[in-house]
Amino acid sequence: MNYRSTRNNSVSVTSAKAIAQGLSDEGGLFVPENLPKLSKEDILALCDKSYPERAFDVFKLFLTDFTDDEIRHCVNGAYKNSFDTENVSEISHLLTGTYILELWHGPTCAFKDMALQILPYLLTTSAKKTIDGKKIAILVATSGDTGKAALEGFKDVEGTNITVFYPEDGVSDMQKRQMTTQEGGNVNVCAVKGNFDDCQNGVKAIFTDAGLKAELDKMGVVFSSANSINWGRLSPQIVYYISAYASLIKNGEIEYGEKINIVVPTGNFGNILAAYYAKQMGIPVNKLICASNANNVLTDFINTGVYDRNRQFFTTVSPSMDILISSNLERLLYHLTDGNDATIADWFGKLSKEGKYSVTPEVLEKIKADFYAGCCDDAQTKAAIKEVFDSYSYLMDTHTAVAYKVYQDYKAETGDETKTIIASTANPYKFGAAVYDALGGETEGVDEFTIIENLEKLTGTTIPAPLAATKGKEIRFKGSVEKQEMPEVVLDFLKK
Ligand SMILES: *Cc1c(COP(=O)(O)O)cnc(C)c1O
C-alpha cells in the first residue's frame, strides 16, 4: 500500500518513505491510498491477543513494505516493557456503558507515549530502507506532552537527534520540568516566546526551507517530524481504538457489531482522526465526539463548516489542547473530498494566508454524519473533575475532564444512550495544580511538588514514579528564543 500527499495526488510513496520524510515536499500530509478493512473474523481474532500482537496485526495492513520481523521488532520494542501495565492501556468504568480508555500508562504519563514509544523504531527502520546512512534530525513543536514523549522515545537512539520547541508560557510546570530535565546525548530543548501555533508554524517553515535543506544535505542529515503530521505517529493511535473495541468484546461489555461512541479531547485533531480511521476500517462507531476547551475553533468548524483561526487565543488548564490550527483536519478533508488535492491545497493555502477557509455544504454534511462537537471553559472543566471524583472516586486530568463534560452535554442534547469510550489522554498528576484546585485544594504560592503530595493525600491516589523522579533532577535546558530564531537553534545544535 502506498501513501499520497493531500496536496498533490501524483505523489505516491511507500510507508517507509512517508514515515522517514514526515511531510510531503509541497507541504501536504501523507495519507494511505486506501484504508484496509477489518472483517468480523479479524476483529474477533484480536480479542485473545496481547497489545503488541494486536499492534502487529494492524501494522501489517499499513506497513506493507516492512517485513514481519521488522514489524515485530518495532511493536515489541515499544510495547513490551515501557508501560506500567502489561495491557499498555487500561479501560476503567464510571457508569455501566461509560468507559474511560486510559492511554497514559507510558513513561511520560500522557497518551503521546502510545505513538512516541514506537515512532523511533518505525523511523529508524524506515530510514534504513530509504535514506541509508543519513542521520535523522527530529523537529518537534509541542503544546507540552509531545515534547517530553518524543524526547523519551528518541533519547540516545542511534542515527537520530531531536530538537523540541515549546511555548514559553504555554505548558504546565510539570510539563516544563519534564522537558528541561531530559537526559540523553542527542536531545535539545528550547522555549519560544509565543504560543503553540508559533512553534508549529516555525517548525513547518524549517521543514520547507530549501536553503536549510541544502545545508543539511551537505552534513548528511535529513529532517523528520515526530508531530502527528507524521504517519508513523498517527498510525499507532489507530491501534488502540481497535484494541479497545476488542477488549470490550473480550470483557463481555459489548457484542461484536454493537456500535460505540468515542469522545476525544482534541487539539491537533490527531487522536480523533485515528478514531475516524478505526471506524473507516470497520470498527462499529456511532458518533465521534470532538471535545475542545475555550480554544473552540474545531467546535465552530464542525458546526458551521467555517474554519476561522482569527480569534482570541486562550491559555487554559488543559494546555495540550490550546491550539488554533489543527493540522490533521487536512487529512480528514482530503478523504471527505474524495481526494481532491487542488481543493485541499486551496483551503490550506487560505488558512495560512488569511487564517480562514470554508468547506462546501456537501463536505459539512459528511462531517456532521460522523462527528459531534462541543467545548467547555476552565470552570466547567474543574467542575467536571470534582463531579467525577465525588461521584465515582475516579480522578481525571483536565483534558479528560473536557471530554467528560462535552459528553454530558451531548447526552443531554441527544438522549443518545450508546455505550461510550472517553479517551483519557493524561495522568491527573501531570496537571496536578489545576486538578488539586478543582477539588478545592489550596495552590496559591504552593510549589508543584507540595501540591501533588497534597493531591495524593486528599485522593488516596499515587504520584506516578516518572513524575516523582523529576524532583531532584538538574535543569539542563534554559534557552528561550523569538520564533524567527528557531532555524538558528536547529543549525547550531546540528553543527555541535
Ligand atoms: C496532545 C494532547 C491532546 C490533543 O490531542 P490531539 O491529537 O492533538 O488532538 C489532548 N490531551 C492531552 C493530554 C494531550 O497531550
Side-chain angles (χ1 to χ4, degrees), residues 109-112 143-146 175 228 233-234 237 264-272 298 320-321 323 328 397 399-400 424-427 430-431:
C109 307
F111 88 96
K112 304 293 198 291
S143 55
D145 292 329
T146 297
Q175 288 177 313
S228 53
R233 171 72 197 283
L234 196 63
Q237 300 184 200
V264 185
T266 298
N268 221 353
F269 210 76
N271 201 4
I272 195 166
L298 283 169
S320 302
M321 294 152 68
I323 292 176
N328 272 297
D397 94 292
H399 303 77
T400 311
S424 177
T425 49
N427 181 289
K430 251 196 128 156
F431 304 93

Side-chain angles (χ1 to χ4, degrees), residues 310-324:
N310 303 304
R311 59 177 71 208
Q312 194 185 343
F313 176 86
F314 298 98
T315 299
T316 73
V317 294
S318 43
S320 302
M321 294 152 68
D322 291 347
I323 292 176
L324 292 179

Side-chain angles (χ1 to χ4, degrees), residues 173 433 436 441-452 454:
D173 286 349
Y436 190 54
E442 182 57 51
T443 56
E444 275 296 304
V446 187
D447 79 88
E448 174 87 17
F449 284 102
T450 309
I451 291 173
I452 59 176
N454 289 339

Side-chain angles (χ1 to χ4, degrees), residues 64-80:
T64 51
D65 51 327
F66 281 48
T67 65
D68 282 6
D69 280 348
E70 285 171 337
I71 298 177
R72 217 166 272 123
H73 166 72
C74 294
V75 297
N76 289 344
Y79 298 123
K80 279 223 158 146

Side-chain angles (χ1 to χ4, degrees), residues 78-97:
Y79 298 123
K80 279 223 158 146
N81 297 307
S82 312
F83 289 74
D84 69 13
T85 157
E86 201 185 314
N87 295 332
V88 179
S89 60
E90 290 289 348
I91 299 177
S92 287
H93 296 223
L94 294 184
L95 288 165
T96 329

